[in-house]
Amino acid sequence: MAQITNYTARARASLREQLLDATAELLPHSGYAGLRMADVAAAVGVSRQTVYNEFGNKSALVQAVVLRILAEVTEGMRHRLDAAGDVLAGVHAATAYTVEHTRKNRLVAAVMGAQPAEDLLPLITTRGQPVLHAATDLAEAYLREQLPHLADPRFVATTMARLAISHLVLPNGSPTDAADQVCAVVDALIHASPNDPTPSSSE
């Protein structure tokens, strides 16, 4: 029974990945408005109802595609932060990777380009809370670990994330240029905050 259960779980995970792959392939051409669940189903060779059973609706399906891309980027950022010798080196490497990796992503490139895929842009701007929160949470955890006495790591992390996203939405220079600009701001914020604990009045 356990083997059957494990097989079923793997089969469902494989189906889900196939549906996400198919959706990611269709979206650059269809955009959100033109995406049809029937087309996703046909690309995988399943019924339209199967797609609805797995994701519920089109909005949830597209959101799952975005979250999968986000998970890939977040993992890459984490590796670069962990491998860096210091905070600014980590921020620089993670930012450059994020900008470069996402610009190379076919779907992200389509979103930043012309119609029809640009109707997906709100998923990383006005409705991009999952993207912003994931990037901010990762950056905050890193700053708390590396700079335990930083006065407001959440603010610094949020600033980092928002700046990185702005370089994706409105590209200005190379990924290295973007990383340089983000690091300049982070460096100023870090050094504007006391990195040493303030002695209490009782001491």
Side-chain angles (χ1 to χ4, degrees), residues 122-191:
L123 289 174
I124 57 173
T125 55
T126 56
R127 292 193 289 115
Q129 291 90 346
V131 175
L132 178 62
H133 288 170
T136 300
D137 289 345
L138 175 61
E140 182 183 9
Y142 175 73
L143 290 171
R144 287 188 182 278
E145 178 183 339
Q146 298 295 320
L147 301 172
H149 303 305
L150 185 63
D152 194 348
R154 186 68 183 182
F155 174 74
V156 179
T158 301
T159 302
M160 288 170 53
R162 288 185 179 276
L163 283 174
I165 291 173
S166 74
H167 280 284
L168 297 178
V169 178
L170 295 171
N172 181 23
S174 69
T176 299
D177 292 333
D180 288 343
Q181 293 178 36
V182 171
C183 277
V185 174
V186 171
D187 188 27
L189 290 175
I190 288 175
H191 289 94

Side-chain angles (χ1 to χ4, degrees), residues 1-12:
M1 180 63 70
Q3 290 180 335
I4 294 176
T5 301
N6 290 338
Y7 174 80
T8 301
R10 288 195 300 271
R12 182 173 180 182

Side-chain angles (χ1 to χ4, degrees), residues 32-162:
Y32 181 84
L35 181 70
R36 301 192 314 158
M37 301 291 260
D39 292 336
V40 176
V44 179
V46 298
S47 69
R48 184 176 64 173
Q49 188 58 49
T50 298
V51 185
Y52 278 105
N53 290 344
E54 189 66 34
F55 292 98
N57 55 52
K58 183 169 74 170
S59 177
L61 171 60
V62 173
Q63 188 71 51
V65 172
V66 172
L67 291 177
R68 185 174 69 164
I69 295 173
L70 175 61
E72 294 171 357
V73 173
T74 302
E75 186 63 23
M77 289 174 61
R78 183 177 290 109
H79 283 314
R80 283 151 183 81
L81 289 171
D82 291 343
D86 59 64
V87 170
L88 289 179
V91 171
H92 194 282
T95 302
Y97 162 79
T98 300
V99 174
E100 181 176 11
H101 182 77
T102 49
R103 285 183 184 176
K104 289 181 178 179
N105 183 279
R106 184 164 169 263
L107 177 55
V108 175
V111 170
M112 301 305 171
Q115 289 279 6
E118 68 177 6
D119 68 357
L120 294 164
L121 188 58
L123 289 174
I124 57 173
T125 55
T126 56
R127 292 193 289 115
Q129 291 90 346
V131 175
L132 178 62
H133 288 170
T136 300
D137 289 345
L138 175 61
E140 182 183 9
Y142 175 73
L143 290 171
R144 287 188 182 278
E145 178 183 339
Q146 298 295 320
L147 301 172
H149 303 305
L150 185 63
D152 194 348
R154 186 68 183 182
F155 174 74
V156 179
T158 301
T159 302
M160 288 170 53
R162 288 185 179 276

